[in-house]
């Protein structure tokens, strides 16, 4: 099909797909599917980043534990614990595999403790490195790795991969 230019919005009830067709065989491979919950957050000529900020899947961690890679990959963890809770992130290897991470992969992780009754602390595991800001804040008692309970109990952390098996972790909001 040739390039087509539209003067109005392009609409579909069933989403959009980008495909690749193999030159020799004509085999069609679906590269990406864009549905109703998908939103475009950043477009450049060299980097396309698509994210679903609605977080249709969340993970609940209500006691001190190591989060699974699947739980962290949801991008949204809730806690309603009455006791102080420490959530340790999975190793860089496990999280990298769950996200099919490569150098430069970024994941925003939201921790929602608004329904909790005590502080949630985030810790990193093997191949998880605290950013300089997170390490300084943690050592100085600034609380960059803690999420209070109640109405102010919402935090955003960014996980940035330096390789397929190692990440840097920092609080961004």
């Amino acid at each position: 099909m040739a390039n087509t230019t539209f003067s109005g919005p392009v609409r579909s009830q069933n989403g959009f797909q980008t495909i690749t067709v193999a030159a020799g065989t004509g085999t069609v491979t679906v590269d990406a599917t864009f549905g109703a919950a998908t939103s475009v957050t950043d477009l450049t000529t060299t980097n396309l980043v698509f994210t679903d900020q609605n977080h249709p899947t969340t993970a609940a961690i209500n006691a001190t534990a190591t989060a699974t890679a699947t739980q962290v990959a949801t991008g949204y963890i809730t806690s309603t614990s009455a006791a102080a809770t420490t959530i340790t992130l999975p190793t860089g290897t496990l999280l990298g595999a769950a996200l099919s991470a490569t150098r430069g992969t970024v994941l925003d992780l939201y921790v929602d403790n608004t329904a909790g009754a005590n502080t949630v602390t985030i810790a990193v595991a093997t191949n998880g490195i605290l950013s300089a800001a997170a390490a300084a804040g943690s050592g100085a008692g600034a609380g960059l790795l803690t999420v209070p309970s109640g109405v102010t109990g919402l935090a955003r952390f960014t996980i940035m991969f330096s390789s397929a098996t190692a990440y840097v972790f920092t609080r961004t909001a």
Side-chain angles (χ1 to χ4, degrees):
M1 181 176 181
N3 287 335
T4 304
T5 302
F6 298 92
S7 61
V10 177
R11 298 169 34 173
S12 170
Q13 289 182 311
N14 297 313
F16 295 92
Q17 292 180 331
T18 59
I19 63 165
T20 308
V21 179
T25 64
T27 302
V28 175
T29 302
V30 175
D31 298 318
T33 299
F34 307 101
T38 304
S39 61
V40 178
T41 59
D42 182 31
L43 285 176
T44 66
T45 56
T46 58
N47 182 27
L48 296 177
V49 178
F50 297 95
T51 183
D52 179 356
Q53 295 296 326
N54 295 323
H55 299 285
T57 304
T58 63
I61 300 177
N62 297 313
T64 295
T66 297
T68 67
T70 302
Q71 289 172 316
V72 174
T74 67
Y76 203 100
I77 294 175
T78 62
S79 182
T80 59
S81 179
T85 301
T86 298
I87 299 171
T88 302
L89 298 177
T91 67
T93 301
L94 292 174
L95 187 55
L99 296 172
S100 300
T102 59
R103 181 179 184 161
T105 298
V106 176
L107 172 72
D108 282 338
L109 173 63
Y110 295 84
V111 177
D112 183 344
N113 192 27
T114 56
N118 212 315
T119 301
V120 171
T121 302
I122 307 297
V124 297
T126 304
N127 293 337
I129 301 160
L130 292 177
S131 69
S138 178
L144 291 176
L145 298 177
T146 60
V147 183
S149 60
V151 295
T152 60
L154 189 60
R156 181 180 69 204
F157 298 92
T158 299
I159 299 170
M160 299 172 284
F161 282 82
S162 57
S163 73
T165 60
Y167 61 84
V168 175
F169 181 78
T170 193
R171 184 167 182 161
T172 50

